Amino acid sequence: MTRQSVCLFGLSADPPTGTGGHVGMVKALVKHFAASSISKSSFQTQGEPTNQSIYILPVYRHTFKSKQSRLTSFEHRLAMCRLAFANVIPSASANSIRVQVSEAERLAFEWAMQRNKTSFDQEQAAASFGTATLLDYLREHDNGGAAATTERQYSLALGADTFCDLVQGKWKESQRVLQTVDHFYVFDRKQGIENDSSLSLQDCLRKVGDKATLLQVDSLQDVSSSKARECTSIDQLKEMVPAPVVEYILKHGLYAIGEKQHALTTKTT
């Protein structure tokens, strides 16, 4: 039986950041999986190859109502993800690692709405939707293009703060996520950037034992989607966001810089 390992990398993608953020994290995952594949090949059981995939998952709707209205449309964020990670996919494929930008969050949300068949409106449904539900959907519907004889395992890739929030029970159905996810890949933040969690990262790693791998990502910087949204200089934005995404932002008048450029363009026409 073929084994497929699927690593889920969720992000707001509002917007996706470059090598100092989201893109750097996915590159680190590809590097780790490529190295792991080489080290395992010498003792892997014949006839049981493991295929590695990475699903990049822009969030469909935030759980918290206060954040739902602030999210840029899912269509824009999905398009920006495809642009941001386009250059990662060929290098990953060269190492037999499949990287894809997925709409699974949207599909899982719609599946959960249909399955519940309640009077939930979108806001109520968002409040009840979490990673555990996404995993339920993937286990029932996701075949990744693989045959029915494929055994699938799901892991999560996430930042240190987010991982510590999960371990401390701050996620929806935290315990079910901790129990059902096969592995966690935790990105170590650049030295000098503090972890906001009340528990230290090492404490949180110890709580899950060998189910977690800490990934050192030298390229990570103190960049964030929120800083990119507030940026009013194109040159500064290019330091945080991949160039194709910058072009998309300007073209569609998104965020502070896009609105500024759109206003200037309108004045001159």
Side-chain angles (χ1 to χ4, degrees), residues 5-250:
S5 178
V6 180
C7 183
L8 308 178
F9 178 61
L11 68 167
S12 68
D14 199 16
T17 51
T19 54
H22 299 127
V23 173
M25 292 176 185
V26 173
K27 285 183 175 180
L29 277 175
V30 170
K31 182 179 179 180
H32 174 77
F33 292 142
S36 298
S37 177
I38 292 171
S39 64
K40 290 177 181 177
S41 61
S42 60
F43 57 84
Q44 192 173 50
T45 304
Q46 188 174 5
E48 292 187 351
T50 298
N51 298 324
Q52 180 66 58
S53 296
I54 300 171
Y55 289 1
I56 297 165
L57 302 165
V59 66
Y60 182 56
R61 288 179 70 88
H62 264 301
T63 298
F64 301 110
K65 182 179 178 180
S66 61
K67 293 185 177 182
Q68 290 172 17
S69 61
R70 297 204 302 262
L71 268 182
T72 304
S73 76
F74 181 72
E75 290 72 22
H76 277 318
R77 292 182 291 109
L78 185 68
M80 287 190 286
C81 274
R82 287 173 174 155
L83 291 170
F85 296 98
N87 290 335
V88 180
I89 294 173
S91 61
S93 298
N95 289 290
S96 301
I97 299 166
R98 184 172 178 239
V99 177
Q100 68 177 85
V101 176
S102 171
E103 296 185 52
E105 279 257 359
R106 177 183 64 81
L107 297 172
F109 183 89
E110 293 172 352
W111 169 77
M113 288 273 289
Q114 181 63 29
R115 182 185 64 171
N116 290 335
K117 292 187 180 299
T118 66
S119 58
F120 275 5
D121 60 21
Q122 291 264 321
E123 289 180 1
Q124 289 173 315
S128 68
F129 181 85
T131 300
T133 305
L134 172 64
L135 288 164
D136 290 341
Y137 169 81
L138 289 171
R139 289 193 172 97
E140 186 169 321
H141 293 86
D142 177 45
N143 64 12
T149 54
T150 298
E151 176 188 342
R152 233 164 253 99
Q153 295 179 327
Y154 291 96
S155 60
L156 290 183
L158 62 178
D161 289 346
T162 309
F163 171 70
C164 287
D165 284 346
L166 170 62
V167 172
Q168 294 176 86
K170 296 180 181 179
W171 285 29
K172 186 172 295 298
E173 296 188 271
S174 293
Q175 284 305 310
R176 189 154 78 92
V177 174
L178 287 167
Q179 291 166 5
T180 58
V181 168
D182 293 286
H183 203 80
F184 299 93
Y185 296 95
V186 184
F187 300 110
D188 191 16
R189 305 187 72 180
K190 187 176 180 181
Q191 189 173 6
I193 302 175
E194 296 297 327
N195 176 15
D196 293 333
S197 172
S198 58
L199 278 181
S200 75
L201 175 57
Q202 292 304 319
D203 288 338
C204 293
L205 289 168
R206 279 192 288 270
K207 282 182 175 290
V208 299
D210 59 5
K211 282 186 67 171
T213 297
L214 185 64
L215 298 181
Q216 305 284 344
V217 189
D218 294 335
S219 68
L220 287 189
Q221 300 173 7
D222 190 16
V223 301
S224 66
S225 295
S226 59
K227 289 182 179 180
R229 288 194 300 272
E230 295 164 2
C231 186
T232 56
S233 163
I234 294 177
D235 289 338
Q236 289 178 355
L237 185 63
K238 286 179 178 178
E239 294 177 0
M240 294 184 279
V241 174
V245 177
V246 174
E247 294 176 8
Y248 186 95
I249 289 169
L250 297 177

